[in-house]
Amino acid sequence: EWTKYGDSAKITHNIFAYLNRHWIQREQDEGSNVCDVSTLMYQLWRDQFFMSIRNTLLDSVFSLMTRIRNGQVADINLVKSVADSFVSLGNDDSGIASKRMEVYEKYFLEPFIKSSVEYYREEADRLLQEGSIIDYIVRVSSRLQEEDDRVELYLHESSLKDFKDALNKVLVTRQKDKFYSEFEPLLDARDSLNLKRLYSLVARTGKGSALDPLRDIFSAYVKKAGLDAIKQVSGSEETGGAIAKEARLFVTAVLGVHDLFAGLLHDAFEEDTGFSKSLDNACKDFINTNAMCPEGEARAPQMLAHYCDTLLKKGSGNVRKAGAEGASDEDSLEAQLSQAVCVFRYIKAVDVFQKFYSQHLSRRLVYEQSVSSYGEEMMISKLKEISGVDFTSKLTRMFTDMTLSKEMSEEFKEKCRDGDFAIPFDFDMKVLHTVSWPLKAPDTKLLLPSELSSVCSRFTNYYQNKHNGRKLNWMWQHSKAEIKMFFPKATGPAAKAGYIFHVSTFQLAILMLFNDESGPGTGYDSPNGPTLTLEQISQATGLDNDMIKPELEIFCKARVLVSSNNKISGDSKFTLNANFKSKHLRINLAVSKKVEQKREATDTMRAVDVDRMYAIQAAIVRIMKTRKQLSHRQLVEDTISMIKLFQASIGDIKKGIDTLIDKEYLERSESNRDVYNYLA
Amino acid sequence: MTEQLFSQYQDFERTDGKSLIGPEGFERLSTDLGYDMSQVEPLVLMWKLGCTEMGTVPYENWSQSLTSMRVGSLDQLRKEIDSEIDRLKSDKKEYQQFYRKMFDYLKTGKQKVISVDDILPVIKGADNALFDKFVAFLDANSERIKTINRDQWQSLLELSRTMGDSLADYSKEDAWPALFDDFAEWEHSQK
């Protein structure tokens, strides 16, 4: 009916078009309250007819809606045309836009929303009574989806937001406490589908504060999961077990937890930034302090560095998981390194990681243990992305030294050839730039066997001629050698080819003494070469007993040497074991001792402490130089925020301030002892 | 008169105008004034005479100080010192100056710190409850803490003036030397 009226209104309007155009236009320009024919007709409809029937009209609309919602067949277009008619009826003569919708909003939208809310309230209550909250979530999700899809079909576009808000309120907000309590069980079940539904539902009421309680629950949950996972793993390893194994267990556990929840973040929470932050905070918490990492000991960065070492070092037993088909060894190495870097992002004591990483790297380079130079470079570029250039430039320098050393080695050998000097053995050296390398100059002196010393001094001369003014320090404790030993009673292939021993320089010096041609002056008193006492060995090598004893232990254990009284003491006499036999033709005697490893770790941490002390003092000076005068609290605050590599403690900062007062960089202000002045 | 007195105690005659009373002469002077070397009076005497180091008074300082104190004899000197000691008990600013100067007297030579042993007798005699606690603290930690620097010394006086007798209100977040954090912890554990 309405349509017909609308059409006829149009026609009438056109008939009177002439009138519209001229007279009415003129009147409107003059501001009098006259409107054009079409508008007049709508007004008539509204005033005469509409007002009386509107309630009945609405009722029939509502029952129509109910039918639609109940899934019954109904003509949704009718609803739309009714809505439109209401809109049209608002077209007032005054033409003010806001008033246009007045009729629609007051007489249609409000009741419409009200009845929809009623309908759904009933449904919600019923659902909650009959089923679980999960069922509720599923059903309501689909209901809301229906309405979303449909709403444009029957409401004017301006009303969409109000309508949706109202539905959200009745279906979601009312129940939010139940949702919050259902969240954790869903996490337990790793039910990403329902988590997604729950997330979407709550998100409808606003992505900010409505979701915050869930974010907090999530954060706490991840943290607990992380701590539990690590605790489990820590129990399975005996204390004092191999560090490498410990490190791998730790990192694997961490990654397990992280990846699981990162997956949920993707599948269920749509990479929501708030949830992402919650995940990051939780990881930061549980990774740095947990069952394997006591507070304040910075074990996490140590273990991570060690883990990276196992990935990049040859023969560390790193088993690479079979990657996807076609994934090369390099790809899977890259994947593992990326994972390690992912953990690195959460480490708080970054300086500890850097120190240990560079130590491990220096060892890998010096002993040529890198499993892949591509892998090393990859790792460095990944670290550079996160940490910036300061740290990685030192590492890069180490690589440069390696390349330069190779070139120098070639040049030196050529020079020797030219000078008719035959190097009696295969000689390779590496020259390291002190500043960039974390290795220290040796603190033990050593008397080299003459074959070695002549070559070494020749090289020293060569180098110092090449680079005037530089000083070369030989690092015996990091140098290794391979020697071939022919035992008098050897049989089989060993008799011809001899056994090859991989030894440290100190070991080399000791063993060479047993060479029958180079005994230390006592001549040789047996067919097995010289017999030597601890004292004699010490004299000949320049090493002291504490250095010699452990090596002799290794030799005796390996049955390379024999001790006259079966122990290592002042009156023991050592000889070569003529009956030495081994299945292997190559034997490694240069094993690093666990005691040494532990001592190195402690030394490194001590170095970290020293560095931190200087970093704190430097930061304080820099701040005070700019500010000239600062209160204690502000200085402490600024220092903490300036230092990015580690968390400076208030106690350490205080010590730094004390030292600087002592060194007269700062003074306490006379007028206010809470304030410091910078002393130029 | 001033000169006469001076010559009684001076180290030895010098012709370059740099005569001074040395520690030995100073001790004699103190004893003549009736003071016990192990008490605080000689320190006050040093201060008023303008000593540059422990027990050393250059002639210039001697004559200047005696003149400004309007003192011409040992008796007068003693009266002046005694009244100064009284004044120190009530005048906080005066005491602070004296206290700070003590650091210079107690330290030896070019060192920037004083050994704890040297401080102990001085603070023990200061009649200050917090100082006494500090003495006990130093005693308990004598293995670890062997010296005190100027900042710690000066701050100690401030500490006693701010905190009173006990460190109940002490906070690590305040601007005290790190040593006092240890002191506070120790003091709290003594309850």
Side-chain angles (χ1 to χ4, degrees):
Chain A
E1 288 304 325
W2 163 260
T3 327
K4 283 197 218 139
Y5 186 85
D7 289 340
S8 50
K10 257 199 217 110
I11 296 170
T12 325
H13 178 86
N14 289 334
I15 295 174
F16 283 94
Y18 185 77
L19 181 63
N20 278 340
R21 268 206 311 271
H22 296 286
W23 181 73
I24 294 179
Q25 196 62 35
R26 206 161 15 129
E27 292 296 321
Q28 275 183 334
D29 287 341
E30 289 178 25
S32 48
N33 207 6
V34 173
C35 41
D36 63 22
V37 177
S38 154
T39 318
L40 190 58
M41 296 200 65
Y42 283 121
Q43 276 187 347
L44 281 173
W45 172 281
R46 180 181 70 211
D47 300 333
Q48 308 287 337
F49 187 52
F50 171 75
M51 280 305 172
S52 37
I53 65 153
R54 68 184 159 91
N55 285 328
T56 351
L57 187 59
L58 282 177
D59 282 342
S60 38
V61 168
F62 295 155
S63 53
L64 198 60
M65 283 308 303
T66 313
R67 284 166 61 99
I68 294 175
R69 285 172 179 147
N70 287 344
Q72 292 157 320
V73 177
D75 187 359
I76 204 167
N77 292 317
L78 285 178
V79 183
K80 181 81 170 146
S81 31
V82 173
D84 284 342
S85 76
F86 276 71
V87 176
S88 314
L89 288 179
N91 282 340
D92 204 79
D93 38 303
S94 59
I96 300 175
S98 58
K99 274 190 125 206
R100 264 192 55 204
M101 300 303 285
E102 215 183 68
V103 174
Y104 169 74
E105 279 165 17
K106 194 148 144 228
Y107 296 117
F108 181 77
L109 188 62
E110 256 180 54
F112 184 85
I113 290 184
K114 203 149 156 234
S115 97
S116 307
V117 165
E118 250 330 288
Y119 176 84
Y120 279 116
R121 190 201 309 274
E122 269 182 42
E123 171 150 327
D125 290 341
R126 194 172 25 92
L127 280 175
L128 284 174
Q129 270 218 331
E130 290 173 3
S132 71
I133 195 78
I134 304 271
D135 296 332
Y136 180 88
I137 291 177
V138 176
R139 183 93 176 105
V140 166
S141 298
S142 70
R143 274 311 219 176
L144 284 172
Q145 191 61 44
E146 279 173 24
E147 291 292 341
D148 277 351
D149 293 337
R150 257 194 327 240
V151 72
E152 283 168 12
L153 297 178
Y154 42 75
L155 284 187
H156 190 266
E157 58 186 12
S158 64
S159 344
L160 297 183
K161 182 170 180 315
D162 288 333
F163 178 65
K164 284 192 184 168
D165 282 348
L167 285 189
N168 288 339
K169 211 157 170 199
V170 71
L171 287 175
V172 178
T173 315
R174 272 198 324 152
Q175 263 62 262
K176 68 170 182 221
D177 289 330
K178 293 206 177 66
F179 289 160
Y180 294 158
S181 31
E182 188 63 23
F183 187 58
E184 207 169 309
L186 284 177
L187 283 175
D188 282 335
R190 316 274 191 251
D191 186 348
S192 53
L193 183 56
N194 281 321
L195 279 171
K196 189 169 165 83
R197 287 192 182 121
L198 193 148
Y199 172 80
S200 312
L201 272 188
V202 179
R204 290 177 69 105
T205 59
K207 283 209 169 171
S209 49
L211 285 170
D212 280 342
L214 291 183
R215 292 188 179 114
D216 292 339
I217 298 178
F218 184 60
S219 182
Y221 190 85
V222 172
K223 181 169 172 182
K224 183 165 182 297
L227 290 175
D228 286 344
I230 295 177
K231 192 162 193 183
Q232 226 184 21
V233 159
S234 78
S236 69
E237 192 65 14
E238 334 119 356
T239 43
I243 300 183
K245 196 157 173 222
E246 220 185 11
R248 197 172 306 149
L249 285 173
F250 173 71
V251 175
T252 317
V254 166
L255 284 172
V257 173
H258 173 267
D259 291 348
L260 172 68
F261 291 104
L264 269 186
L265 178 66
H266 176 82
D267 295 336
F269 305 133
E270 296 172 13
E271 304 282 353
D272 178 289
T273 24
F275 275 87
S276 183
K277 229 191 199 152
S278 302
L279 175 66
D280 284 345
N281 288 338
C283 286
K284 242 185 228 145
D285 279 343
F286 83 76
I287 287 179
N288 286 288
T289 307
N290 51 61
M292 288 175 99
C293 306
E295 170 83 44
E297 275 186 34
R299 291 274 306 148
Q302 281 189 48
M303 284 202 275
L304 182 63
H306 214 102
Y307 176 72
C308 294
D309 190 44
T310 62
L311 290 180
L312 292 165
K313 192 162 74 169
K314 275 190 231 180
S316 62
N318 177 40
V319 176
R320 283 211 261 298
K321 286 189 284 199
E325 284 168 16
S328 66
D329 242 8
E330 274 180 355
D331 283 344
S332 66
L333 176 60
E334 170 151 23
Q336 285 179 309
L337 291 176
S338 293
Q339 285 182 318
V341 169
C342 169
V343 177
F344 174 61
R345 274 180 230 267
Y346 296 118
I347 296 287
K348 284 187 189 166
V350 176
D351 58 341
V352 173
F353 175 81
Q354 288 179 349
K355 251 214 167 43
F356 278 91
Y357 186 82
S358 75
Q359 281 234 331
H360 289 136
L361 174 64
S362 71
R363 239 175 235 120
R364 288 200 298 276
L365 290 177
V366 165
Y367 302 144
E368 295 177 3
Q369 285 173 327
S370 289
V371 85
S372 129
S373 60
Y374 173 66
E376 300 279 0
E377 278 170 44
M378 227 197 315
M379 189 60 177
I380 294 198
S381 62
K382 284 185 203 288
L383 288 175
K384 199 197 296 198
E385 265 175 45
I386 308 182
S387 284
V389 177
D390 286 335
F391 168 52
T392 49
S393 65
K394 274 214 187 116
L395 302 182
T396 319
R397 180 65 209 239
M398 289 197 233
F399 285 99
T400 319
D401 279 351
M402 292 291 99
T403 321
L404 288 177
S405 293
K406 242 189 213 112
E407 291 171 6
M408 225 184 306
S409 190
E410 288 307 317
E411 205 184 85
F412 174 68
K413 287 184 187 158
E414 224 183 272
K415 252 210 157 98
C416 287
R417 281 195 292 269
D418 290 344
D420 265 340
F421 175 80
I423 310 177
F425 49 86
D426 227 334
F427 175 71
D428 236 320
M429 44 76 281
K430 295 180 176 60
V431 178
L432 314 176
H433 187 109
T434 318
V435 172
S436 318
W437 290 76
L439 303 172
K440 281 190 309 203
D443 42 6
T444 42
K445 60 176 166 50
L446 177 65
L447 295 173
L448 286 176
S450 51
E451 294 94 327
L452 262 180
S453 58
S454 59
V455 179
C456 290
S457 50
R458 210 181 163 92
F459 181 79
T460 309
N461 281 338
Y462 155 79
Y463 186 81
Q464 281 171 335
N465 277 335
K466 193 167 153 81
H467 297 283
N468 210 346
R470 291 196 193 169
K471 184 155 179 277
L472 216 54
N473 274 327
W474 290 90
M475 303 185 82
W476 303 124
Q477 79 274 39
H478 291 299
S479 307
K480 297 237 173 30
E482 267 188 14
I483 54 176
K484 215 179 258 188
M485 288 180 72
F486 294 92
F487 290 86
K489 297 235 183 88
T491 55
K496 263 210 287 187
Y499 290 98
I500 298 183
F501 290 94
H502 195 70
V503 291
S504 71
T505 318
F506 301 130
Q507 292 172 330
L508 176 68
I510 298 175
L511 284 178
M512 291 285 278
L513 300 175
F514 291 92
N515 233 354
D516 54 6
E517 286 157 21
S518 59
T522 58
Y524 64 104
D525 37 357
S526 88
N528 298 335
T531 307
L532 298 170
T533 62
L534 200 54
E535 174 70 31
Q536 287 170 320
I537 296 177
S538 174
Q539 279 240 350
T541 58
L543 296 168
D544 52 15
N545 290 352
D546 289 331
M547 293 281 333
I548 301 177
K549 280 196 187 151
E551 311 293 2
L552 288 176
E553 245 183 74
I554 294 179
F555 292 145
C556 290
K557 216 165 170 196
R559 315 252 312 125
V560 174
L561 291 183
V562 184
S563 164
S564 59
N565 58 1
N566 261 331
K567 52 185 170 125
I568 319 281
S569 64
D571 41 348
S572 316
K573 291 203 180 37
F574 298 94
T575 21
L576 213 54
N577 177 14
N579 294 317
F580 178 81
K581 279 197 182 41
S582 164
K583 286 189 281 174
H584 310 283
L585 287 179
R586 265 180 177 270
I587 300 156
N588 180 13
L589 293 176
V591 277
S592 72
K593 304 143 195 113
K594 204 180 282 182
V595 163
E596 239 178 53
Q597 275 181 346
K598 269 216 165 80
R599 190 170 42 100
E600 265 169 22
T602 339
D603 284 347
T604 312
M605 285 308 291
R606 213 168 287 148
V608 166
D609 285 337
V610 169
D611 282 354
R612 285 186 175 185
M613 196 179 70
Y614 285 125
I616 288 179
Q617 287 180 24
I620 295 176
V621 170
R622 205 176 323 159
I623 294 172
M624 290 303 294
K625 203 167 183 184
T626 328
R627 308 285 289 263
K628 300 290 188 234
Q629 194 184 64
L630 210 52
S631 77
H632 176 82
R633 302 239 167 170
Q634 194 60 49
L635 179 58
V636 170
E637 233 178 77
D638 288 354
T639 307
I640 292 181
S641 38
M642 182 174 273
I643 297 179
K644 306 269 188 262
L645 282 185
F646 59 93
Q647 294 183 312
S649 73
I650 294 188
D652 284 343
I653 296 180
K654 260 202 177 177
K655 287 204 184 87
I657 294 178
D658 277 359
T659 312
L660 290 173
I661 290 182
D662 220 30
K663 292 196 189 156
E664 294 176 22
Y665 278 87
L666 302 179
E667 65 174 5
R668 289 186 208 272
S669 158
E670 264 305 319
S671 44
N672 182 355
R673 72 174 331 276
D674 248 350
V675 170
Y676 300 105
N677 293 328
Y678 180 68
L679 295 172
Chain B
M1 193 46 203
T2 328
E3 267 193 51
Q4 256 190 318
L5 263 180
F6 186 78
S7 52
Q8 276 190 304
Y9 298 103
Q10 76 178 351
D11 249 5
F12 45 80
E13 192 85 36
R14 286 167 75 125
T15 44
D16 59 355
K18 294 206 185 119
S19 315
L20 47 71
I21 298 181
E24 204 200 61
F26 183 82
E27 190 168 336
R28 267 188 296 127
L29 172 61
S30 309
T31 328
D32 285 352
L33 285 171
Y35 293 144
D36 180 348
M37 282 315 281
S38 67
Q39 296 299 313
V40 76
E41 285 89 350
L43 287 169
V44 182
L45 177 63
M46 267 193 254
W47 182 49
K48 291 307 275 184
L49 287 180
C51 275
T52 44
E53 286 180 13
M54 173 85 91
T56 309
V57 195
Y59 180 70
E60 254 180 55
N61 304 33
W62 167 271
S63 78
Q64 246 179 19
S65 320
L66 286 185
T67 318
S68 67
M69 285 194 283
R70 289 190 236 269
V71 155
S73 72
L74 281 189
D75 263 339
Q76 287 177 328
L77 182 56
R78 177 176 38 242
K79 274 214 193 83
E80 183 59 38
I81 298 296
D82 285 346
S83 73
E84 178 63 37
I85 292 181
D86 265 337
R87 216 177 316 154
L88 284 177
K89 292 204 175 113
S90 51
D91 186 336
K92 284 199 154 175
K93 203 131 206 272
E94 187 90 352
Y95 184 77
Q96 188 187 57
Q97 281 181 14
F98 168 61
Y99 177 88
R100 288 189 174 190
K101 197 67 186 163
M102 271 211 273
F103 188 83
D104 289 313
Y105 295 152
L106 291 172
K107 76 177 169 81
T108 40
K110 290 220 164 50
Q111 295 270 42
K112 293 219 275 181
V113 295
I114 339 175
S115 91
V116 166
D117 293 329
D118 289 338
I119 298 184
L120 288 179
V122 175
I123 18 181
K124 270 191 195 155
D127 193 24
N128 177 320
L130 195 69
F131 280 16
D132 290 337
K133 286 194 178 160
F134 191 63
V135 166
F137 164 69
L138 289 177
D139 239 352
N141 288 282
S142 57
E143 278 306 302
R144 201 169 48 94
I145 305 174
K146 304 251 188 227
T147 57
I148 298 284
N149 68 26
R150 189 187 295 275
D151 184 48
Q152 291 161 331
W153 174 259
Q154 291 187 334
S155 304
L156 180 61
L157 183 63
E158 295 300 321
L159 187 70
S160 83
R161 286 186 173 174
T162 331
M163 294 279 153
D165 283 347
S166 110
L167 292 180
D169 291 329
Y170 184 88
S171 156
K172 284 197 180 189
E173 321 232 321
D174 287 336
W176 299 109
L179 178 65
F180 291 179
D181 287 353
D182 294 341
F183 179 31
E185 222 176 278
W186 175 88
E187 197 246 13
H188 288 151
S189 73
Q190 293 299 305
K191 299 282 159 65

